[in-house]
Amino acid sequence: MRQKLPFVAIVADDQGWGITRSGHVRQFGEPIASSLGPIAFDQLAESLGARGVRASTPDEIVHELRRSIAEPVVTVIHAPIAGGHP
């Protein structure tokens, strides 16, 4: 944001530290301190001055990605995913 560079980030949100969680489940049989719960990454981006959007389906992600690339701003696309498969 400070450099005013156009940038698009897609956050694949499984409400946890997915890679860490799957390793914990494999090693210990349960996740240990790796579940984050719901976080509105789109709203967090907006609170920092970026453009934030939520996309829940593949078609929405494609649409928002195309739209975001055309915008000269930082954009965060929040894409909820199922947990357990990072």
Side-chain angles (χ1 to χ4, degrees), residues 52-65:
V53 295
R54 186 177 183 94
S56 299
T57 67
D59 288 340
E60 288 175 354
I61 293 169
V62 169
H63 170 76
E64 290 300 342
L65 182 57

Side-chain angles (χ1 to χ4, degrees), residues 3-26:
Q3 279 76 36
K4 301 191 184 324
L5 298 172
F7 182 83
V8 181
I10 299 175
V11 178
D13 177 22
D14 68 352
Q15 295 191 14
W17 298 107
I19 294 171
T20 301
R21 182 173 37 204
S22 61
H24 286 172
V25 170
R26 247 189 336 270

Side-chain angles (χ1 to χ4, degrees), residues 6-85:
F7 182 83
V8 181
I10 299 175
V11 178
D13 177 22
D14 68 352
Q15 295 191 14
W17 298 107
I19 294 171
T20 301
R21 182 173 37 204
S22 61
H24 286 172
V25 170
R26 247 189 336 270
Q27 188 169 0
F28 307 113
E30 64 180 297
I32 301 168
S34 55
S35 296
L36 300 175
I39 298 170
F41 289 103
D42 53 335
Q43 293 176 15
L44 177 60
E46 289 183 2
S47 76
L48 297 170
R51 179 175 171 267
V53 295
R54 186 177 183 94
S56 299
T57 67
D59 288 340
E60 288 175 354
I61 293 169
V62 169
H63 170 76
E64 290 300 342
L65 182 57
R66 288 186 175 143
R67 181 176 168 200
S68 298
I69 289 171
E71 297 281 335
V73 298
V74 174
T75 301
V76 174
I77 300 171
H78 179 174
I81 63 171
H85 303 287

